[in-house]
Coordinates of all heavy atoms in Angstrom, one line a residue:
V23 N -9.8 -2.8 -7.6 CA -9.1 -3.9 -8.1 C -7.8 -4.1 -7.3 O -7.0 -3.2 -7.1 CB -8.7 -3.7 -9.6 CG1 -7.9 -4.9 -10.1 CG2 -10.0 -3.6 -10.4
T24 N -7.6 -5.3 -6.8 CA -6.4 -5.6 -6.0 C -5.3 -6.2 -6.8 O -5.5 -7.2 -7.6 CB -6.8 -6.6 -4.8 OG1 -8.1 -6.2 -4.3 CG2 -5.8 -6.6 -3.8
E25 N -4.1 -5.7 -6.6 CA -2.9 -6.3 -7.2 C -2.1 -7.2 -6.3 O -1.1 -7.8 -6.8 CB -2.0 -5.1 -7.7 CG -2.6 -4.3 -8.8 CD -1.6 -3.2 -9.3 OE1 -1.0 -2.5 -8.5 OE2 -1.5 -3.2 -10.5
G26 N -2.5 -7.4 -5.1 CA -1.8 -8.3 -4.2 C -1.6 -7.6 -2.9 O -2.3 -6.7 -2.5
L27 N -0.6 -8.0 -2.1 CA -0.2 -7.5 -0.8 C 1.2 -6.9 -0.9 O 2.1 -7.4 -1.6 CB -0.2 -8.5 0.3 CG -1.6 -9.3 0.5 CD1 -1.4 -10.3 1.6 CD2 -2.7 -8.3 0.8
F28 N 1.4 -5.7 -0.3 CA 2.7 -5.1 -0.3 C 3.7 -6.0 0.5 O 3.3 -6.6 1.5 CB 2.7 -3.8 0.5 CG 2.0 -2.7 -0.3 CD1 0.8 -2.1 0.2 CD2 2.5 -2.2 -1.5 CE1 0.2 -1.0 -0.5 CE2 1.9 -1.2 -2.2 CZ 0.7 -0.6 -1.7
Q29 N 4.9 -6.2 -0.1 CA 5.9 -7.1 0.5 C 7.0 -6.4 1.2 O 7.8 -7.0 1.9 CB 6.4 -8.1 -0.5 CG 5.4 -9.0 -1.2 CD 4.7 -9.9 -0.2 OE1 5.3 -10.4 0.8 NE2 3.4 -10.2 -0.4
S30 N 7.1 -5.1 1.0 CA 8.2 -4.3 1.6 C 7.8 -2.8 1.7 O 6.9 -2.4 1.0 CB 9.5 -4.4 0.8 OG 9.3 -3.9 -0.5
A31 N 8.5 -2.1 2.5 CA 8.3 -0.6 2.6 C 8.6 0.1 1.3 O 8.0 1.1 0.9 CB 9.1 0.0 3.8
E32 N 9.6 -0.4 0.6 CA 10.0 0.2 -0.7 C 8.9 0.0 -1.7 O 8.6 0.9 -2.5 CB 11.3 -0.5 -1.2 CG 12.5 -0.2 -0.4 CD 12.6 -0.9 0.9 OE1 11.8 -1.9 1.0 OE2 13.4 -0.5 1.8
E33 N 8.2 -1.1 -1.7 CA 7.1 -1.3 -2.6 C 5.9 -0.4 -2.3 O 5.2 0.1 -3.2 CB 6.6 -2.8 -2.5 CG 5.6 -3.1 -3.6 CD 5.2 -4.6 -3.5 OE1 5.8 -5.4 -2.8 OE2 4.3 -5.0 -4.3
V34 N 5.7 -0.1 -1.0 CA 4.7 0.9 -0.6 C 5.0 2.3 -1.1 O 4.2 3.0 -1.7 CB 4.5 0.9 0.9 CG1 3.6 2.0 1.4 CG2 4.1 -0.4 1.5
S35 N 6.3 2.7 -1.0 CA 6.7 4.0 -1.4 C 6.6 4.2 -2.9 O 6.3 5.3 -3.4 CB 8.1 4.3 -1.0 OG 8.2 4.2 0.4
A36 N 6.9 3.1 -3.7 CA 6.9 3.2 -5.1 C 5.5 3.1 -5.7 O 5.3 3.4 -6.9 CB 7.8 2.1 -5.7
H37 N 4.5 2.7 -5.0 CA 3.2 2.5 -5.5 C 2.4 3.8 -5.4 O 2.8 4.8 -4.8 CB 2.4 1.5 -4.7 CG 1.1 1.0 -5.3 ND1 1.0 0.5 -6.5 CD2 -0.1 1.1 -4.8 CE1 -0.3 0.2 -6.8 NE2 -1.0 0.6 -5.7
A38 N 1.3 3.9 -6.2 CA 0.4 5.0 -6.1 C -0.1 5.4 -4.7 O -0.2 4.5 -3.9 CB -0.9 4.8 -7.0
D39 N -0.3 6.6 -4.4 CA -0.7 7.1 -3.1 C -2.1 6.6 -2.7 O -3.0 6.8 -3.4 CB -0.7 8.6 -3.1 CG -1.0 9.2 -1.7 OD1 -1.0 8.4 -0.7 OD2 -1.3 10.4 -1.7
Q40 N -2.1 5.8 -1.6 CA -3.4 5.3 -1.1 C -3.9 6.0 0.1 O -4.9 5.5 0.8 CB -3.2 3.8 -0.8 CG -2.8 2.9 -2.1 CD -2.9 1.4 -1.8 OE1 -2.8 0.7 -2.8 NE2 -3.0 1.0 -0.6
S41 N -3.4 7.2 0.4 CA -3.8 7.9 1.6 C -5.3 8.3 1.6 O -5.9 8.6 2.7 CB -2.9 9.1 1.8 OG -3.0 10.0 0.8
E42 N -5.9 8.5 0.4 CA -7.3 8.9 0.4 C -8.2 7.7 0.8 O -9.4 8.0 1.1 CB -7.7 9.4 -1.0 CG -7.0 10.8 -1.3 CD -7.5 11.4 -2.6 OE1 -8.7 11.3 -2.8 OE2 -6.7 11.9 -3.4
I43 N -7.7 6.5 0.6 CA -8.5 5.4 1.1 C -8.3 5.2 2.6 O -9.3 5.0 3.3 CB -8.0 4.1 0.4 CG1 -8.3 4.2 -1.1 CG2 -8.7 2.9 1.0 CD1 -9.7 4.3 -1.5
Y44 N -7.1 5.4 3.1 CA -6.8 5.4 4.5 C -5.6 6.2 4.8 O -4.5 6.0 4.2 CB -6.6 4.0 5.0 CG -6.2 3.8 6.4 CD1 -7.0 4.2 7.5 CD2 -4.9 3.4 6.8 CE1 -6.6 4.1 8.8 CE2 -4.5 3.3 8.1 CZ -5.3 3.6 9.1 OH -4.9 3.5 10.4
G45 N -5.7 7.2 5.7 CA -4.6 8.1 5.9 C -3.7 7.8 7.1 O -2.8 8.6 7.4
G46 N -3.9 6.6 7.7 CA -3.1 6.3 8.8 C -1.8 5.5 8.5 O -1.1 5.1 9.4
G47 N -1.4 5.5 7.2 CA -0.2 4.8 6.9 C -0.4 3.4 6.3 O -1.3 2.7 6.7
W48 N 0.5 3.0 5.3 CA 0.4 1.7 4.7 C 1.8 1.0 4.9 O 2.8 1.6 4.8 CB 0.1 1.9 3.2 CG -1.3 2.4 3.0 CD1 -1.6 3.7 3.0 CD2 -2.4 1.7 2.7 NE1 -3.0 3.9 2.8 CE2 -3.5 2.6 2.6 CE3 -2.7 0.3 2.6 CZ2 -4.8 2.2 2.3 CZ3 -4.0 -0.1 2.3 CH2 -5.0 0.9 2.2
Y49 N 1.7 -0.3 5.2 CA 2.9 -1.0 5.6 C 2.9 -2.4 4.8 O 1.9 -2.8 4.2 CB 2.9 -1.3 7.1 CG 2.7 0.0 7.9 CD1 1.5 0.5 8.3 CD2 3.9 0.7 8.2 CE1 1.4 1.6 9.0 CE2 3.8 1.9 9.0 CZ 2.5 2.3 9.4 OH 2.4 3.5 10.1
P50 N 4.1 -3.0 4.9 CA 4.1 -4.4 4.3 C 3.0 -5.3 4.9 O 2.8 -5.3 6.1 CB 5.5 -4.9 4.7 CG 6.3 -3.6 4.8 CD 5.4 -2.6 5.4
G51 N 2.4 -6.0 4.0 CA 1.3 -6.9 4.4 C -0.1 -6.3 4.2 O -1.1 -6.9 4.3
D52 N -0.1 -4.9 3.8 CA -1.4 -4.3 3.5 C -1.7 -4.6 2.0 O -0.9 -5.0 1.2 CB -1.3 -2.8 3.7 CG -1.3 -2.4 5.2 OD1 -1.8 -3.2 6.0 OD2 -0.7 -1.4 5.5
V53 N -3.0 -4.3 1.7 CA -3.5 -4.5 0.3 C -3.0 -3.5 -0.6 O -2.9 -2.3 -0.3 CB -5.1 -4.5 0.4 CG1 -5.6 -4.6 -1.1 CG2 -5.6 -5.7 1.2
K54 N -2.6 -3.9 -1.8 CA -2.1 -3.0 -2.9 C -3.2 -2.9 -3.9 O -3.5 -3.8 -4.6 CB -0.9 -3.7 -3.5 CG -0.2 -2.9 -4.6 CD 1.0 -3.6 -5.1 CE 1.7 -2.9 -6.2 NZ 2.9 -3.7 -6.7

C-alpha cells in the first residue's frame, strides 16, 4: 500500500525502515 512519495530526507528518516525492499538507500522522490 502506497502512502505517496517522500518529499524530504527528514521524511525518509522518520518513516518505517524500507531497506528490506531495497537496500541501496531511499531518497526524496521515492515511493513511501
Side-chain angles (χ1 to χ4, degrees):
V23 176
T24 316
E25 292 186 310
L27 302 178
F28 289 117
Q29 299 298 326
S30 65
E32 292 75 17
E33 189 176 352
V34 174
S35 300
H37 188 60
D39 181 14
Q40 299 190 165
S41 61
E42 291 188 43
I43 297 296
Y44 173 67
W48 294 82
Y49 305 93
D52 286 335
V53 172
K54 179 181 180 182

